[in-house]
């Protein structure tokens, strides 16, 4: 009986220690790491350049009249839709003009109704009847102008996009055609690259490109290329722009991109490329020597680190192809993996 009690006590102690260790592990602060998404690569003689992300199109939005800005309803970086109210101008004078135009319209219509009875009875000269009709037309035209002036005190977005720059604030005087904000269309962006004149001839509208943006750990496949036709007088380079789909709106104007042009002689292998430094070898716990198994740390959707055994292929510069163990789109840890263990929480 005594032995049974001792075994139960030992079991309870081991359970308490285990729970304590698990709680300590769960309470541990997440480890900060740098990550990268696994993307397709090519083994080739590709040229790499530095590019800058640009918006697809920029639209300057302005009032058509002059006045003091009463309200600004948007901020830089805010997404807006077509027709959304952006700003309002003080409309006191416009409302007064509209009231006057409405009064003139009422007076003209009243005169038209009274003189019509005389005209129908044949007791009103035709010349005077034409004059009355002209006054009604003039009053109607002035009323339409007054209504438009009042409507123009409200500035709405002519297109959808994001607010790039806010150029006028509340209380400032806006002048006709003076830009109040700029709206950027980034549903598709363009990556601008300066290419030396000796290499521009090897590029065409459909040359394959691979684009990576470190700021967002993103990799993209470039689309149609627009080639400039005038070289820079000092650098003898031509500006080209690569169209890139940006449905998630992560690519923003001004971001720096690494661009690789794949020449006609290149061979695309469609392999999964990861940094060489991200691949590690497992060690035997007793001898601390490598047993030859290669692995990388991956990050799951729950922001936890997991060890993934991989098989590698050919290297290309600082990258190596992974032939087994990873899928396109997997997120791997590239820096900070030294402190990781299975199931560790991470932030990136």
């Amino acid at each position: 009986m005594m032995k049974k009690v001792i075994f139960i006590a030992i079991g309870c102690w081991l359970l308490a220690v285990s729970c304590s260790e698990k709680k300590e592990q769960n309470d541990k602060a997440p480890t900060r790491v740098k990550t990268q998404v696994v993307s397709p690569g090519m083994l080739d003689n590709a040229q790499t350049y530095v590019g800058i992300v640009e918006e697809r199109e920029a639209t300057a939005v302005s009032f058509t009249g002059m006045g003091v800005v009463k309200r600004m309803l948007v901020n830089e970086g805010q997404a807006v839709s077509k027709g959304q109210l952006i700003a309002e101008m003080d409309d006191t004078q416009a409302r007064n003009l509209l009231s006057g135009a409405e009064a003139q319209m009422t007076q003209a219509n009243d005169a038209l109704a009274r003189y019509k009875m005389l005209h129908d009875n044949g007791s009103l000269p035709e010349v005077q009847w034409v004059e009355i009709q002209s006054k009604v037309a003039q009053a109607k035209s002035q009323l339409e102008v007054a209504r438009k002036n009042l409507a123009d005190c409200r500035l709405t977005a002519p297109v959808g996009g994001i607010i790039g720059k806010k150029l006028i604030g509340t209380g400032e005087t806006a002048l006709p055609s003076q830009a109040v904000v700029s709206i950027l269309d980034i549903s598709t962006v363009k990556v601008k690259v300066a290419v030396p004149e000796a290499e521009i001839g090897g590029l065409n509208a459909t040359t394959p490109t691979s684009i990576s943006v470190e700021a967002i750990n993103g990799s993209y496949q470039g689309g149609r290329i627009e080639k400039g036709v005038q070289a820079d007088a000092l650098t003898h380079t031509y500006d080209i722009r690569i169209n890139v789909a940006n449905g998630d709106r992560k690519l923003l104007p001004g971001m720096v991109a690494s661009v690789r042009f794949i020449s006609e002689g290149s061979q695309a292998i469609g392999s999964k490329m990861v940094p060489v430094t991200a691949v590690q070898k497992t060690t035997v716990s007793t001898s601390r020597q490598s047993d030859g198994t290669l692995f990388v740390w991956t990050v799951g959707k729950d922001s936890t680190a997991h060890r993934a055994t991989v098989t590698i292929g050919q290297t290309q510069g600082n990258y190596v192809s992974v032939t087994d163990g990873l899928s396109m789109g997997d997120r791997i840890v590239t820096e900070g993996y030294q402190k990781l263990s299975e199931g560790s929480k991470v932030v990136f």
Side-chain angles (χ1 to χ4, degrees), residues 90-129:
D90 186 359
D91 59 1
T92 304
Q93 184 177 1
R95 288 188 179 278
N96 291 336
L97 291 175
L98 178 60
S99 296
E102 288 174 341
Q104 290 181 0
M105 186 75 249
T106 301
Q107 184 179 7
N109 285 332
D110 182 64
L112 179 65
R114 286 185 287 105
Y115 280 102
K116 186 177 185 301
M117 296 175 61
L118 297 176
H119 177 265
D120 293 343
N121 294 333
S123 56
L124 182 70
E126 191 66 28
V127 174
Q128 193 172 355
W129 174 243

Side-chain angles (χ1 to χ4, degrees), residues 193 200 225-231 237-241:
V193 182
I200 192 68
I225 295 177
E226 302 171 7
K227 293 173 61 174
V229 296
Q230 187 172 359
T237 58
Y238 289 84
D239 286 340
I240 71 150
R241 288 173 171 82

Side-chain angles (χ1 to χ4, degrees), residues 158-179:
V159 295
I162 63 170
I163 302 297
K165 289 185 178 181
K166 190 167 65 172
L167 304 171
I168 291 182
T170 302
E172 295 185 278
T173 300
L175 299 176
S177 301
Q178 177 187 10

Side-chain angles (χ1 to χ4, degrees), residues 278-283 293-297 306-311:
V279 181
Q280 303 173 67
K281 287 185 178 181
T282 57
T283 56
T293 303
L294 302 178
F295 71 94
V296 298
W297 287 106
H306 303 282
R307 188 189 299 252
T309 302
V310 296
T311 303

Side-chain angles (χ1 to χ4, degrees), residues 40-46 260 262-263 265-273 313-317 319-321:
M42 296 189 179
L43 296 181
D44 50 37
N45 55 341
R260 300 175 67 248
I262 314 303
S263 63
S266 303
Q267 181 182 5
I269 63 174
S271 61
K272 298 173 282 289
M273 305 299 290
Q314 295 177 277
T315 59
Q316 179 182 333
Y319 283 78
V320 62
S321 65

